[in-house]
Amino acid sequence: MKSYQIDPDFLWGVATSANQVEGGWNEDGKGMSIADCLRYRPQLDVTNYKATNSISSRQVKEAMSDLSTKNWAKRHGVDFYHNYHEDIKQLAAMGISAFRFSISWARIFPNGDDQEPNQAGLDYYLDLVKEMNKYNIEPIMTLSHYEIPLNLVLNYDAWYDRRVIGFFDRFAKTVIDYLHDYVKYWIPINEIDSIIRHPFSSAGLIEDRFPNKNFKNVIYQAMHNQFVASARIIKYCHETYPDLKIGCMITSTMVYPYNSDPRNVLRATEIMRNVYAFSDIQIRGQYPKYLLKKLKEEDIKIEEKAEDADLIKRNTADFIAFSYYSSVCTAYDTRGLQVTKANRINGVYNKYLPESEWGWQIDPIGLRLSLIKLYDRYQKPLFIVENGLGASDVLTNDKKVHDDYRICYLRDHIHQMLISLVEDGIELIGYCVWGTTDMISASSNQISKRYGLIYVDLDDEGNGTYKRYRKDSYYWYKKLLSFGNKIPMSFFDEPLTHVNESAVS
């Protein structure tokens, strides 16, 4: 039987973030974070990522005055904080070897600028990674994933203020010192390029706090400060714990020209350069000339210290982590063309691809192309740390979830990844499905946009029992992982039928 043979050390995993699953938003000394200020707003177009993650100072004050949990989805998450032992046990039973998750900064330093950490927060994460290690699961740790402490927004203007680099430095080093014996792979900042698209959830920036400033300049200044902060942590780890691996992370979205018109090809190339600019800085150690030219043309002036350039140059990431969900087309003139959405940008509808309920076009070959382009560009190990499908799942009367559409999505993307491993000469550390249990969607602040392999009984208004139920996709992924490092090619041609425990065991 023909099979895809992969490295025995290849990491098969799942991924999530603290602000989307944990809950326990004000327990055991945790402070308020920006994620606690975001709520599901049904009056908004849930496919508009920017709108659902924009906020005003007035709305922040409203959030601070309301100490309830039910209507603030990320305050309750799916209560992973109190259920992590059972959740990890269920995931371990699936056969995973990696679990990507994040630290809540406000759980360690409640105000962000505290002199001493919250010991209860450190002990929680220590127990969490020990629980993973118990099942031989490799923790993949993201230090900052869309939840800067709110105090740093209100009193320092968040990542725009250079002092926040020092606060992050203290936070990150504290966590690394405490957990380095249990965690090998670290990512300082999730999807660092996302600050351009949604500056509040990524960096705590609220536009009305900068009335006399060019807000685009504010965004790029905050982005620069994040690059400096990441480089400082890479330097610290390389000098103090040389066995640790420190990556960078970007959002990868393939962008195709609408047709072979050279003007459309040029437009697609320009957008893809913008995708790579953020990994260029962290892997090549300097701002690419085309980005510097763009900043100059737009009169964006980044204030930096003399040592910043050398720090970034000398302290580059060990691997490139990336998320991949979809692709788009683009054209130099989009008038009269149907527009569609993706995780990173809007684009022109691609007639050759289906789309999800939330308008993201599904493109498995785009994942293979991303692997090829990133590896050819950098010649450094890659790590797919997010890939999954958000969909409306239905829990049947007999407590089943028949999510064939998710199985199709995962099957086709994983198949292309395996083909790339065998044929394209790439170096890949691992693959993580985006979704452990269901979680609160970052793009819409809903749980009804479900990503998990395990269903959680909860609705967008916070009603439900929080009970967990394994989906068909859970059993499909378990079957895939049961093959070890030799995966039969025929597995990807099998007809999809409702998968259950008996079909796997």
Side-chain angles (χ1 to χ4, degrees), residues 20 38 41 44-55 74 145-146 190-191 194 197-199 201-202 251 323 325 341-346 358 360 386 434 440-445 449 451:
Q20 293 171 268
L38 293 169
R41 290 177 279 177
L44 297 179
D45 176 4
V46 293
T47 67
N48 188 332
Y49 202 146
K50 185 175 181 179
T52 56
N53 284 275
S54 296
I55 200 167
K74 290 181 179 176
H145 192 135
Y146 298 169
N190 174 73
E191 294 181 335
S194 64
R197 305 187 298 280
H198 35 89
S201 57
S202 295
T251 317
S323 59
Y325 293 93
K341 301 179 187 297
N343 186 34
R344 191 177 189 279
I345 55 172
N346 292 344
W358 275 263
W360 296 9
E386 290 185 29
W434 181 245
I440 308 303
S441 170
S443 63
S444 65
N445 297 305
K449 185 182 182 184
Y451 280 94

Coordinates of all heavy atoms in Angstrom, one line a residue, residues 20 38 41 44-55 74 145-146 190-191 194 197-199 201-202 251 323 325 341-346 358 360 386 434 440-445 449 451:
Q20 N -10.1 32.9 24.0 CA -11.2 32.4 23.3 C -11.8 31.1 24.0 O -12.9 30.7 23.7 CB -10.8 32.0 21.9 CG -10.5 33.2 21.0 CD -9.9 32.9 19.7 OE1 -8.7 32.8 19.5 NE2 -10.7 32.6 18.7
L38 N -14.8 43.0 24.4 CA -15.4 42.7 23.1 C -16.6 41.8 23.3 O -16.5 40.8 24.1 CB -14.4 42.0 22.2 CG -13.2 42.9 21.7 CD1 -12.1 42.0 21.1 CD2 -13.7 44.0 20.8
R41 N -22.0 41.4 18.7 CA -23.0 42.5 18.3 C -23.8 42.0 17.1 O -23.3 42.2 16.0 CB -22.2 43.8 18.1 CG -21.6 44.4 19.4 CD -20.8 45.7 19.1 NE -19.5 45.4 18.6 CZ -18.6 46.3 18.2 NH1 -19.0 47.6 18.2 NH2 -17.4 46.0 17.8
L44 N -24.2 43.9 13.7 CA -23.1 44.1 12.8 C -23.0 42.9 11.8 O -23.5 41.8 12.1 CB -21.8 44.2 13.5 CG -21.6 45.4 14.4 CD1 -20.2 45.3 15.1 CD2 -21.7 46.7 13.7
D45 N -22.5 43.1 10.7 CA -22.2 42.1 9.7 C -21.1 41.2 10.3 O -19.9 41.6 10.4 CB -21.8 42.7 8.4 CG -21.4 41.6 7.3 OD1 -21.5 40.4 7.6 OD2 -20.9 42.0 6.2
V46 N -21.4 40.0 10.6 CA -20.4 39.1 11.3 C -19.3 38.7 10.4 O -18.3 38.2 10.8 CB -21.1 37.9 11.9 CG1 -22.0 38.2 13.1 CG2 -21.8 37.0 10.9
T47 N -19.4 38.9 9.1 CA -18.3 38.6 8.2 C -17.4 39.8 8.0 O -16.3 39.7 7.3 CB -18.9 38.3 6.7 OG1 -19.5 39.4 6.2 CG2 -19.9 37.1 6.8
N48 N -17.7 40.9 8.7 CA -16.8 42.1 8.6 C -15.9 42.1 9.9 O -16.2 42.6 10.9 CB -17.6 43.4 8.6 CG -16.8 44.6 8.4 OD1 -15.6 44.7 8.7 ND2 -17.4 45.6 7.8
Y49 N -14.7 41.5 9.7 CA -13.7 41.3 10.8 C -13.4 42.6 11.4 O -13.3 42.7 12.7 CB -12.5 40.6 10.2 CG -11.6 39.9 11.2 CD1 -10.9 38.7 10.8 CD2 -11.5 40.3 12.5 CE1 -10.1 38.0 11.6 CE2 -10.6 39.6 13.4 CZ -10.0 38.5 12.9 OH -9.2 37.8 13.8
K50 N -13.1 43.6 10.6 CA -12.7 44.9 11.2 C -13.8 45.6 12.0 O -13.5 46.1 13.1 CB -12.3 45.9 10.0 CG -11.8 47.2 10.5 CD -11.3 48.1 9.3 CE -10.7 49.4 9.8 NZ -10.2 50.2 8.7
A51 N -15.0 45.5 11.6 CA -16.1 46.1 12.3 C -16.4 45.4 13.7 O -16.6 46.1 14.7 CB -17.4 46.1 11.5
T52 N -16.3 44.1 13.6 CA -16.6 43.4 14.9 C -15.5 43.5 15.9 O -15.7 43.2 17.1 CB -16.9 41.9 14.6 OG1 -15.8 41.3 13.9 CG2 -18.1 41.7 13.7
N53 N -14.3 43.9 15.5 CA -13.2 44.1 16.4 C -12.8 45.5 16.6 O -11.7 45.8 17.1 CB -12.0 43.2 16.0 CG -12.2 41.7 16.3 OD1 -12.0 41.3 17.3 ND2 -12.8 41.0 15.3
S54 N -13.7 46.5 16.2 CA -13.4 47.9 16.4 C -14.1 48.3 17.7 O -15.2 47.8 18.0 CB -13.9 48.7 15.3 OG -13.1 48.4 14.1
I55 N -13.6 49.3 18.4 CA -14.2 49.7 19.6 C -13.8 51.2 19.9 O -12.8 51.7 19.4 CB -13.7 48.8 20.8 CG1 -14.6 48.9 22.0 CG2 -12.3 49.1 21.2 CD1 -14.4 47.8 23.0
K74 N -16.1 36.4 25.6 CA -14.7 36.0 26.0 C -14.4 36.1 27.5 O -13.4 35.6 27.9 CB -13.7 36.9 25.2 CG -13.7 36.6 23.7 CD -12.8 37.4 22.9 CE -12.9 37.0 21.4 NZ -12.0 37.9 20.5
H145 N -1.6 36.8 22.5 CA -2.6 36.5 21.5 C -3.9 37.3 21.8 O -4.8 36.8 22.4 CB -2.9 35.0 21.6 CG -3.7 34.5 20.4 ND1 -3.3 33.3 19.7 CD2 -4.8 34.9 19.8 CE1 -4.2 33.1 18.8 NE2 -5.1 34.1 18.8
Y146 N -3.9 38.5 21.3 CA -5.1 39.4 21.3 C -5.7 39.7 22.7 O -6.9 39.7 22.9 CB -6.2 38.7 20.5 CG -5.9 38.6 19.0 CD1 -6.7 37.8 18.2 CD2 -4.8 39.1 18.4 CE1 -6.5 37.6 16.8 CE2 -4.5 39.0 17.1 CZ -5.3 38.2 16.3 OH -5.1 38.0 14.9
N190 N 1.2 36.6 18.4 CA 0.3 36.0 17.4 C 0.1 36.9 16.2 O -0.2 38.1 16.4 CB -1.0 35.6 18.1 CG -2.0 35.1 17.1 OD1 -1.9 33.9 16.6 ND2 -3.0 35.9 16.7
E191 N 0.2 36.3 15.0 CA -0.2 37.1 13.8 C 0.2 38.5 13.9 O -0.7 39.4 13.8 CB -1.6 36.9 13.5 CG -2.0 35.5 13.1 CD -3.5 35.3 12.8 OE1 -4.3 36.2 13.2 OE2 -3.9 34.4 12.1
S194 N -1.5 41.3 12.0 CA -2.9 41.6 12.2 C -3.2 43.0 12.7 O -4.3 43.5 12.7 CB -3.6 40.5 13.0 OG -3.0 40.6 14.4
R197 N -4.9 45.2 10.4 CA -6.4 45.0 10.1 C -7.3 45.3 11.3 O -8.4 45.8 11.1 CB -6.5 43.5 9.7 CG -5.6 43.0 8.6 CD -6.0 41.6 8.1 NE -5.8 40.6 9.1 CZ -4.6 40.1 9.4 NH1 -3.5 40.5 8.8 NH2 -4.5 39.2 10.3
H198 N -6.9 44.9 12.5 CA -7.7 45.1 13.6 C -6.8 45.6 14.8 O -6.4 44.8 15.6 CB -8.6 43.9 14.0 CG -8.0 42.6 13.8 ND1 -7.2 42.0 14.7 CD2 -8.0 41.8 12.7 CE1 -6.8 40.8 14.3 NE2 -7.2 40.7 13.0
P199 N -6.5 46.9 14.8 CA -5.5 47.4 15.8 C -5.9 47.3 17.3 O -5.0 47.3 18.1 CB -5.3 48.8 15.4 CG -6.5 49.2 14.5 CD -6.9 47.9 13.9
S201 N -7.8 44.7 18.9 CA -7.6 43.3 19.4 C -6.2 42.9 19.3 O -5.7 42.1 20.1 CB -8.6 42.3 18.7 OG -8.3 42.3 17.3
S202 N -5.4 43.4 18.3 CA -4.0 43.0 18.2 C -3.1 43.8 19.1 O -2.1 43.2 19.5 CB -3.6 43.2 16.7 OG -4.3 42.3 15.9
T251 N 0.0 35.9 9.3 CA -1.3 35.4 8.7 C -1.0 35.1 7.2 O -0.6 36.1 6.5 CB -2.4 36.4 8.8 OG1 -2.4 37.0 10.1 CG2 -3.7 35.8 8.5
S323 N -0.8 31.0 10.1 CA -2.1 30.5 10.0 C -2.5 30.5 8.5 O -2.0 31.4 7.8 CB -3.1 31.4 10.8 OG -3.0 32.8 10.3
Y325 N -6.2 29.8 6.2 CA -7.6 29.5 6.1 C -8.1 29.5 4.7 O -9.0 28.7 4.3 CB -8.4 30.4 7.0 CG -8.2 30.3 8.5 CD1 -7.2 31.1 9.1 CD2 -8.8 29.4 9.2 CE1 -7.0 31.0 10.4 CE2 -8.6 29.2 10.6 CZ -7.6 30.0 11.2 OH -7.4 29.9 12.5
K341 N -14.5 37.7 1.0 CA -13.7 38.0 2.2 C -12.7 36.8 2.5 O -12.9 35.7 2.0 CB -14.6 38.2 3.4 CG -15.6 39.3 3.2 CD -16.5 39.5 4.5 CE -17.6 40.5 4.2 NZ -17.1 41.8 3.9
A342 N -11.7 37.1 3.3 CA -10.7 36.1 3.7 C -10.3 36.6 5.1 O -10.7 37.6 5.6 CB -9.6 36.0 2.8
N343 N -9.5 35.7 5.7 CA -9.0 36.0 7.1 C -8.2 37.3 7.1 O -8.2 38.1 8.1 CB -8.2 34.9 7.6 CG -7.8 35.0 9.1 OD1 -8.5 35.6 9.9 ND2 -6.6 34.6 9.4
R344 N -7.4 37.6 6.1 CA -6.5 38.7 6.1 C -7.1 39.9 5.3 O -6.9 41.0 5.8 CB -5.2 38.3 5.5 CG -4.1 39.3 5.7 CD -2.7 38.8 5.1 NE -1.7 39.7 5.6 CZ -1.4 40.9 5.0 NH1 -2.1 41.2 3.9 NH2 -0.4 41.7 5.4
I345 N -7.6 39.7 4.2 CA -8.1 40.8 3.3 C -9.3 40.5 2.6 O -9.7 39.3 2.5 CB -7.0 41.2 2.3 CG1 -6.6 39.9 1.5 CG2 -5.8 41.8 3.0 CD1 -5.7 40.2 0.3
N346 N -10.0 41.5 2.1 CA -11.1 41.2 1.1 C -10.5 41.1 -0.3 O -9.4 41.6 -0.6 CB -12.1 42.4 1.1 CG -12.8 42.5 2.4 OD1 -12.9 41.5 3.2 ND2 -13.5 43.6 2.7
W358 N -19.2 32.0 6.2 CA -18.8 33.3 6.6 C -18.0 34.0 5.4 O -17.3 35.0 5.6 CB -17.9 33.3 7.8 CG -18.7 33.4 9.1 CD1 -19.0 34.5 9.8 CD2 -19.4 32.3 9.7 NE1 -19.9 34.1 10.8 CE2 -20.1 32.8 10.8 CE3 -19.6 30.9 9.4 CZ2 -20.9 32.0 11.6 CZ3 -20.4 30.2 10.2 CH2 -21.0 30.7 11.3
W360 N -15.5 32.9 3.4 CA -14.1 32.7 3.2 C -14.0 31.6 2.1 O -14.5 30.5 2.3 CB -13.3 32.3 4.4 CG -13.3 33.3 5.5 CD1 -13.9 34.5 5.5 CD2 -12.5 33.3 6.7 NE1 -13.7 35.2 6.6 CE2 -12.8 34.5 7.4 CE3 -11.7 32.4 7.3 CZ2 -12.2 34.8 8.6 CZ3 -11.1 32.7 8.5 CH2 -11.4 33.9 9.2
E386 N -2.3 27.2 12.6 CA -3.7 27.4 12.5 C -4.2 27.0 11.2 O -3.7 27.5 10.2 CB -4.1 28.8 12.8 CG -4.0 29.3 14.2 CD -4.5 30.7 14.4 OE1 -5.5 31.1 13.6 OE2 -4.0 31.5 15.2
W434 N -6.9 24.4 13.8 CA -7.5 25.5 14.7 C -8.8 25.0 15.2 O -9.8 24.9 14.5 CB -7.6 26.8 13.9 CG -8.1 27.9 14.7 CD1 -9.3 28.5 14.6 CD2 -7.5 28.5 15.8 NE1 -9.5 29.5 15.6 CE2 -8.3 29.5 16.3 CE3 -6.2 28.3 16.4 CZ2 -8.0 30.4 17.4 CZ3 -5.9 29.2 17.5 CH2 -6.7 30.1 18.0
I440 N -14.7 30.8 21.3 CA -15.3 32.1 20.8 C -14.5 32.6 19.6 O -13.3 32.8 19.7 CB -15.3 33.2 21.9 CG1 -15.9 32.6 23.2 CG2 -16.0 34.4 21.5 CD1 -17.3 32.1 23.1
S441 N -15.2 32.8 18.5 CA -14.5 33.2 17.3 C -13.9 34.6 17.4 O -14.5 35.5 17.9 CB -15.5 33.2 16.1 OG -14.9 33.8 15.0
A442 N -12.6 34.7 17.0 CA -11.9 36.0 17.1 C -12.5 36.9 16.1 O -12.5 38.2 16.3 CB -10.4 35.8 16.8
S443 N -13.0 36.4 14.9 CA -13.4 37.3 13.9 C -14.8 37.8 14.1 O -15.2 38.9 13.5 CB -13.3 36.6 12.5 OG -14.2 35.5 12.5
S444 N -15.6 37.2 14.9 CA -17.0 37.6 15.0 C -17.5 37.6 16.5 O -18.6 38.1 16.8 CB -17.9 36.7 14.2 OG -17.9 35.4 14.7
N445 N -16.7 37.2 17.4 CA -17.1 37.1 18.9 C -18.3 36.2 19.1 O -19.0 36.5 20.0 CB -17.3 38.5 19.4 CG -16.0 39.3 19.4 OD1 -15.0 38.9 19.9 ND2 -16.1 40.5 18.7
K449 N -20.0 30.4 15.3 CA -19.0 30.1 14.3 C -18.0 29.1 14.9 O -17.0 29.5 15.5 CB -18.3 31.4 13.8 CG -17.4 31.2 12.6 CD -16.6 32.4 12.3 CE -15.7 32.2 11.1 NZ -14.9 33.4 10.7
Y451 N -15.3 26.1 15.5 CA -14.1 25.6 14.9 C -13.7 24.2 15.5 O -12.9 23.5 15.0 CB -12.9 26.5 15.1 CG -12.9 27.7 14.1 CD1 -13.5 28.9 14.4 CD2 -12.3 27.5 12.9 CE1 -13.5 30.0 13.5 CE2 -12.3 28.6 12.0 CZ -12.9 29.8 12.3 OH -12.8 30.8 11.4

